[in-house]
Amino acid sequence: MVEDKIAALLEEKFREDAFADCFLVDLKLHAHNKLDVFLDSDFGITFEKCHKISRYLEQYLDEEQWLGEKYVLEVSSPGISRPLVMQRQYPRNIGRKVEVKLNDGDKRTGTLIEVEEDHIVLEEKVRVQEGKRKKTEVVETEISFSSIEHTKVKVTF
């Protein structure tokens, strides 16, 4: 399978010092030999790194003809609209507002304030009843990675 071959090539590339902070987020092969490769880095993926990895992959695609003679290869970061899918993506987003969709369908929105090995901590604003009035309280909620379906970073202006 082409995707497995590409993933193996990337793992090899990520062993190099210059790319050791990089990791594969997703790989999609579409109709008409279009291959999307989404990469990230512990410090933010740069255009230069994506470009170098694209050239690296093209060497093999051209030589081995895994996608034939005509293909489209796009190597990029996942972008802000794509959810966080790997635990390794979370630390870079500490301090940002996120929406966490849980496996049970519930959603939590708050500021990501902590990332641990098995969970994250969100700072949420919740409305609580106090007598006849409601007031807003800030609470910290611990959410295990095993209960997260996906997390999206919310862009605020």
Side-chain angles (χ1 to χ4, degrees):
M1 214 168 141
V2 174
E3 294 97 320
D4 295 335
K5 292 175 183 176
I6 297 295
L9 285 173
L10 289 170
E11 287 305 314
E12 187 177 310
K13 187 71 171 171
F14 298 157
R15 288 189 195 106
E16 296 177 17
D17 287 345
F19 296 93
D21 63 326
C22 298
F23 54 95
L24 176 64
V25 174
D26 199 9
L27 191 67
K28 293 215 185 290
L29 181 58
H30 305 278
H32 308 294
N33 293 331
K34 181 178 187 278
L35 181 65
D36 289 327
V37 179
F38 296 103
L39 306 175
D40 210 342
S41 159
D42 296 326
F43 308 106
I45 195 81
T46 63
F47 173 78
E48 183 182 339
K49 281 188 179 180
C50 286
H51 181 73
K52 286 179 179 178
I53 289 172
S54 178
R55 296 293 167 253
Y56 166 75
L57 293 175
E58 284 173 356
Q59 289 175 338
Y60 289 93
L61 291 171
D62 290 344
E63 187 177 310
E64 302 294 332
Q65 295 287 305
W66 292 335
L67 296 175
E69 288 192 25
K70 288 188 172 188
Y71 64 88
V72 175
L73 172 65
E74 290 187 8
V75 177
S76 67
S77 70
I80 198 77
S81 63
R82 292 180 63 92
L84 305 180
V85 293
M86 300 181 72
Q87 186 173 343
R88 196 168 171 182
Q89 293 176 285
Y90 283 78
R92 251 195 25 248
N93 289 290
I94 290 175
R96 290 188 169 157
K97 188 173 183 177
V98 296
E99 180 183 86
V100 180
K101 184 174 181 192
L102 303 174
N103 293 327
D104 66 7
D106 283 351
K107 288 184 181 177
R108 298 301 194 95
T109 302
T111 302
L112 180 63
I113 60 170
E114 194 176 321
V115 178
E116 296 296 330
E117 191 173 311
D118 61 345
H119 69 274
I120 61 171
V121 178
L122 277 190
E123 184 178 86
E124 296 179 282
K125 292 180 181 176
V126 295
R127 301 284 287 162
V128 294
Q129 192 75 35
E130 190 175 89
K132 293 182 179 184
R133 299 181 318 168
K134 286 189 175 187
K135 74 174 195 172
T136 302
E137 284 185 359
V138 176
V139 297
E140 291 184 5
T141 306
E142 190 175 293
I143 304 171
S144 70
F145 280 110
S146 62
S147 66
I148 296 174
E149 181 177 311
H150 68 259
T151 301
K152 287 190 177 182
V153 175
K154 304 300 281 179
V155 180
T156 54
F157 298 97

